[in-house]
Amino acid sequence: MYKAIISITLRPSILDPEGKTVHHGLKNLGFTQVDDVRMGKHAEIRIDTTDEEEARRVATEACEQLLANPVTENFEIELEEVASEAA
Amino acid sequence: MYKAIISITLRPSILDPEGKTVHHGLKNLGFTQVDDVRMGKHAEIRIDTTDEEEARRVATEACEQLLANPVTENFEIELEEVASEAA
């Protein structure tokens, strides 16, 4: 069993209104050292396979087909081998 | 200048409707090996300091005060030293 830890972020050239809003909020709270904020999505997917390459393929296809917008977003995948949960 | 890469996830005991919806969507697309999906938030914060400990303190306080709900969410922080952008 593998766990794919996926971070999906907007491409750098794309305006990030959510990031701007969080940045503004942090400034109001006195976080003057915060220079920029970019927000994105985090996903953790448990994949039922013992083959790391297959886990990477499944996670990549899941991003390409559903989780990430190929036009505006980038995604990064980290894989961890995890114990199968008791049935 | 440091970049804090933050992942904010629901505590394991908390029901994750967004994760269930994505899991359902992946099943409909034929991803039968996907066993479970947990969704969360990803944030990248640029912090104007040369001191790693200070960057970690700022990122932790930003999570505690704004980004993460202390009752329902956990957060993890990774720090990277990055070049300052030209003014």
Side-chain angles (χ1 to χ4, degrees):
Chain A
M1 179 79 77
Y2 276 89
K3 180 160 80 167
I5 298 164
I6 300 166
S7 30
I8 301 151
T9 53
L10 286 168
R11 290 175 190 263
S13 57
I14 306 281
L15 182 69
D16 177 11
E18 187 180 356
K20 292 274 176 260
T21 306
V22 170
H23 190 185
H24 191 67
L26 288 173
K27 261 195 202 161
N28 287 346
L29 288 169
F31 288 88
T32 50
Q33 289 164 294
V34 170
D35 195 58
D36 186 40
V37 178
R38 301 280 296 179
M39 296 300 290
K41 290 175 280 190
H42 173 90
E44 292 180 10
I45 298 182
R46 290 172 64 93
I47 301 167
D48 191 8
T49 179
T50 52
D51 174 13
E52 183 166 347
E53 276 321 303
E54 189 176 6
R56 184 169 297 282
R57 184 185 58 73
V58 169
T60 303
E61 284 179 13
C63 288
E64 289 168 348
Q65 294 186 30
L66 185 66
L67 295 173
N69 176 334
V71 175
T72 59
E73 292 175 327
N74 293 327
F75 60 84
E76 276 178 38
I77 297 168
E78 265 177 57
L79 287 174
E80 269 178 30
E81 192 153 20
V82 294
S84 306
E85 273 166 12
Chain B
M1 181 79 75
Y2 275 89
K3 180 160 80 167
I5 297 165
I6 300 166
S7 28
I8 300 150
T9 52
L10 287 168
R11 290 175 190 264
S13 57
I14 305 280
L15 182 70
D16 176 11
E18 187 181 357
K20 292 273 176 263
T21 305
V22 170
H23 190 185
H24 191 69
L26 288 173
K27 260 193 203 161
N28 287 345
L29 288 169
F31 288 88
T32 51
Q33 288 164 296
V34 171
D35 196 59
D36 186 40
V37 178
R38 301 281 295 179
M39 295 299 291
K41 291 176 281 190
H42 173 90
E44 292 181 9
I45 298 182
R46 289 172 66 93
I47 301 167
D48 190 7
T49 179
T50 52
D51 173 15
E52 182 166 349
E53 275 323 302
E54 189 175 7
R56 184 170 297 282
R57 183 185 57 75
V58 170
T60 303
E61 282 179 14
C63 287
E64 287 167 351
Q65 292 185 32
L66 186 67
L67 295 174
N69 177 333
V71 175
T72 59
E73 292 175 327
N74 293 326
F75 60 85
E76 278 179 35
I77 298 168
E78 267 176 56
L79 287 175
E80 268 178 31
E81 191 153 21
V82 293
S84 305
E85 275 166 12

